Structure formats: C-alpha cells, structure tokens
Amino acid sequence: MSIQQIDVKYTAVATAENGRDGRVASDDGNLDVVVNPPKEMGGSGAGTNPEQLFAAGFSACFQGALGVVARREKADISGSTVTAKVGIGANGSGGFGLEVELVASIPNVDAATAQSLVEKAHEVCPYSNATRGNIKVDLKVA
C-alpha cells in the first residue's frame, strides 16, 4: 500500500507531558486537559484518556464526512449523531492495539439510505482513511 499524498491545509499541534498520566495541551491553548489511564487499566480515571480523545475526534470528523456525503446525495441528516466507541487492549505481540465502532443515527432517512451514507462517509473521512487496513472499524446504523 502506498503512502497517501495530501495538500495540507491545517496542522494541529499538541504536546503531552508525562504520557498517559499527565497533561496534553494544544499550541493555541484551546485544548488543555489532564490525562489519566482509566480505572479498567489500573489508573485513577480522574482525567480524560487518549482513547476518549480519539473517540471525540473520530466521531466529530465522521459526522463532518457524513455531512459532505449528505450534501452530495441531497439527503437530510439533520438531527443525526455519530458515536465512536474506541477499545484498547493487548495485541498479542507485546504491545497494544485499538478498535473502533462507529454508530450513526440518521433519523430523517430510511435504513438503506442511512447505511449507504455511512459507507460513503467512511470513504471520505480522514480518520477512516488513516485507520483503514490498520485497525478494526465497525460501521453501524442505529
């Protein structure tokens, strides 16, 4: 598989201190959060964690891609939501891996149209393109 080439329009910058048990902040000050491992992984769970941040980014990005596709298809996605569930666990090779479940609720279209929109959004979304072939991503329509 070849490396995707893009025309960069924006670059987000964030810096972490103390890894998964510290702080992450963006260079513009719009994001500044305490990060802690979740209780399920032996942490305090007192702050957010990288998986929650990834879920937030993926769900927002996928919702945006859904909007792009809906405009092309002239479909009404008003009132829609996208929920990302990001799981983390041992990968069997001494490291860790992620998996994602994306659940889209699109109340103003029929089930077949909703499924088609979600599949097309998965082709458009930058997060989908970045993860494709690397991790398990399940698409669901609520």
Side-chain angles (χ1 to χ4, degrees), residues 54-103:
F54 189 73
F58 206 155
S59 63
C61 189
F62 198 88
Q63 179 75 34
L66 189 60
V68 168
V69 170
R71 284 188 292 282
R72 290 179 186 165
E73 304 280 323
K74 296 183 180 16
D76 179 9
I77 64 159
S78 60
S80 66
T81 61
V82 174
T83 301
K85 300 176 182 180
V86 176
I88 183 172
N91 65 9
S93 300
F96 294 88
L98 299 174
E99 65 179 33
V100 177
E101 178 181 274
L102 294 172
V103 182

Side-chain angles (χ1 to χ4, degrees), residues 2-73:
S2 63
I3 302 286
Q4 179 185 41
Q5 300 296 312
I6 65 169
D7 178 19
V8 175
K9 302 291 185 199
Y10 168 76
T11 300
V13 179
T15 301
E17 298 172 5
N18 296 321
R20 297 182 65 88
D21 203 0
R23 178 177 160 262
V24 178
S26 61
D27 65 335
D28 62 6
N30 287 329
L31 178 72
D32 191 341
V33 295
V34 171
V35 289
N36 299 114
K39 290 181 180 179
E40 296 84 349
M41 295 181 68
S44 69
T48 191
N49 60 65
E51 292 69 42
Q52 289 173 324
L53 295 170
F54 189 73
F58 206 155
S59 63
C61 189
F62 198 88
Q63 179 75 34
L66 189 60
V68 168
V69 170
R71 284 188 292 282
R72 290 179 186 165
E73 304 280 323

Side-chain angles (χ1 to χ4, degrees), residues 54 58 85-87 96-101 122 127-128 130-138:
F54 189 73
F58 206 155
K85 300 176 182 180
V86 176
F96 294 88
L98 299 174
E99 65 179 33
V100 177
E101 178 181 274
H122 190 50
Y127 276 66
S128 294
T131 59
R132 185 172 292 107
N134 299 310
I135 66 171
K136 178 181 171 187
V137 178
D138 286 331

